[in-house]
Amino acid sequence: MEPFDYDALPGRVIFGVGRRSEVGEEVDRLHATRVLLIADAHDQETIDQVVTVLGERCVGIFTEVAQHVPMMLAQKVRALATSSDADATVTLGGGSATGFGKAVALTHELPQVCIPTTYAGSELTPIWGTSSGEVKETGRDLRVLPRSVIYDPELTLGLPISIAGPSAMNALAHAVEGLYGPGANPVMSAIALESVRVLATHLPLMKVSPTSIEERSQVLYGAYLAGAVLAVVGTALHHKTCHVLGGLYGLDHGQMNAVVLPHALAFNESAIPEAYQRLSSVLGGDAAGELYDLARTLDTPSSLLELGMPLEGVQRAAPLVVAASASNVRSINEAQAIEFLSSCVEGARPS
Ligand code: NAD
């Protein structure tokens, strides 16, 4: 067996239907008494529930959550953390809400309790991100690793398939890149493959039965495993590309994931024969093609063109993708990046 390194990360997870009601206990475990609630405004009823459970501990509410944490809004939430003298944050929402909690943790060192409502996985990672204009800045810092995560599948019941599908493809991308990303190790590979198995099995079932709490729970569980893998292993060509394109064109993160993943995996295939074979056997066929087909089952867009990126954008993005992907398992030059990005823009099934 090959030697390996594994840097385990701390963190507490509670999982189960209805467990958002335990947010008060999670805050108390942190010995926090002044909570800033950062919530995606899509679900006022749950915001009200959390505010009620927190009671006097809730000293502020921020709901101006936007994708990619625009710096102007990050400054606003940080100012609120200061003015409300908060000693912890609770975030309620998808990866965007979590991202705002991390923005506060980075400057104010406030511990964070996360209640995720999508499959983004950010709640398990020490990775933060902000955006200014076309540039997205990301970094890794243990201070932003949330201290406690409450997975309550009930909160995902209302997630329409148009959001659930892309978000779940984002989770799948974490698990897939977890097999060959910079921190890959056999422990994380085992979890990554289980995540791929759970997601590939239950996503089509969830599509057919979107109100099934069992299917919603399975998909959330698969996404949790994927987030845990992302946190330890880090990312490769696929995510680097999505970050570049998110910054350049403001494309929707989840939908971009659904488009780019099969092409990024196909590009890496020759460098990862064993991982590719293991993925293919879990997915029941050629891995890149199966992921492409799964994305079609979830009705996600098949091309970046559909998301609004023009073919001319490829020339602009290629050098940035090359620069961002220096640690990818297979090195990529500008001509290869142009070919890879063109496949993503055109959106044909990878052969
Ligand atoms: P999101 O948080 O932006 O949410 C997408 C949309 O879904 C929003 O309109 C939101 O209001 C709505 N929504 C959320 N939960 C819902 C629910 N249960 N029911 C109905 N609607 C709901 O999207 P996301 O994909 O969760 O997160 C994307 C962001 O997370 C990006 O900025 C990405 O870069 C970041 N991210 C960061 C990491 C990390 O480790 N730092 C990991 C993954 C993603």
Side-chain angles (χ1 to χ4, degrees), residues 40 42 67-68 94-96 117-118 120 122 125 127 136 155 159 163:
D40 177 323
H42 79 272
Q67 273 211 351
H68 307 308
S96 297
T117 62
T118 68
S122 175
T125 81
I127 305 163
K136 188 162 179 185
L155 294 179
L159 198 61
I163 299 175

Side-chain angles (χ1 to χ4, degrees), residues 9 107 122 170 218 246 331:
L9 288 168
T107 50
S122 175
N170 184 17
Q218 291 285 351
S331 69

Side-chain angles (χ1 to χ4, degrees), residues 172-191:
L172 259 171
H174 299 151
V176 168
E177 291 213 311
L179 291 164
Y180 53 81
N185 65 65
V187 182
M188 285 296 119
S189 293
I191 298 176

Side-chain angles (χ1 to χ4, degrees), residues 4-151:
F4 64 88
D5 295 4
Y6 170 27
D7 288 319
L9 288 168
R12 174 179 155 79
V13 168
I14 68 172
F15 191 108
V17 175
R19 295 196 75 180
R20 62 189 179 280
S21 64
E22 294 173 44
V23 62
E25 282 98 310
E26 294 308 303
V27 166
D28 291 346
R29 277 175 167 270
L30 301 174
H31 305 291
T33 55
R34 300 184 60 79
V35 172
L36 171 59
L37 174 62
I38 299 170
D40 177 323
H42 79 272
D43 182 0
Q44 189 59 46
E45 196 182 323
T46 306
I47 295 177
D48 293 343
Q49 282 172 7
V50 170
V51 169
T52 303
V53 171
L54 290 175
E56 286 181 353
R57 287 169 290 202
C58 186
V59 294
I61 305 177
F62 179 86
T63 56
E64 289 179 66
V65 168
Q67 273 211 351
H68 307 308
V69 193
M71 189 45 100
M72 261 176 55
L73 291 174
Q75 280 161 352
K76 211 166 167 180
V77 74
R78 285 167 175 163
L80 185 56
T82 303
S83 64
S84 62
D85 195 23
D87 61 5
T89 60
V90 167
T91 56
L92 171 66
S96 297
T98 307
F100 276 82
K102 289 179 168 183
V104 174
L106 192 62
T107 50
H108 289 57
E109 300 196 14
L110 298 193
Q112 182 175 358
V113 175
C114 290
I115 313 176
T117 62
T118 68
Y119 310 126
S122 175
E123 64 279 358
L124 295 168
T125 81
I127 305 163
W128 57 268
T130 52
S131 61
S132 296
E134 288 183 342
V135 180
K136 188 162 179 185
E137 192 188 353
T138 60
R140 193 178 170 94
D141 191 317
L142 276 179
R143 286 175 301 174
V144 310
L145 180 67
R147 299 279 284 276
S148 176
V149 180
I150 304 175
Y151 285 110

Side-chain angles (χ1 to χ4, degrees), residues 175 188-200 218 221-222 225 282:
M188 285 296 119
S189 293
I191 298 176
L193 286 169
E194 176 62 358
S195 169
V196 172
R197 186 194 68 74
V198 171
L199 289 170
Q218 291 285 351
Y221 174 63
L225 298 183
V282 166

Side-chain angles (χ1 to χ4, degrees), residues 246-314:
L248 278 183
Y249 297 106
L251 307 183
D252 178 85
H253 187 73
Q255 292 190 337
M256 209 172 13
N257 268 272
V259 174
V260 174
L261 180 61
H263 300 286
L265 180 62
F267 177 81
N268 280 331
E269 178 184 355
S270 62
I272 51 160
E274 192 193 329
Y276 198 89
Q277 195 277 326
R278 291 176 85 188
L279 266 175
S280 295
S281 63
V282 166
L283 289 165
D286 173 70
E290 291 294 322
L291 288 172
Y292 182 91
D293 294 343
L294 180 60
R296 301 292 69 71
T297 309
L298 299 172
D299 299 337
T300 56
S302 60
S303 70
L304 293 181
L305 198 61
E306 281 174 68
L307 296 184
M309 178 173 160
L311 196 51
E312 307 81 79
V314 164

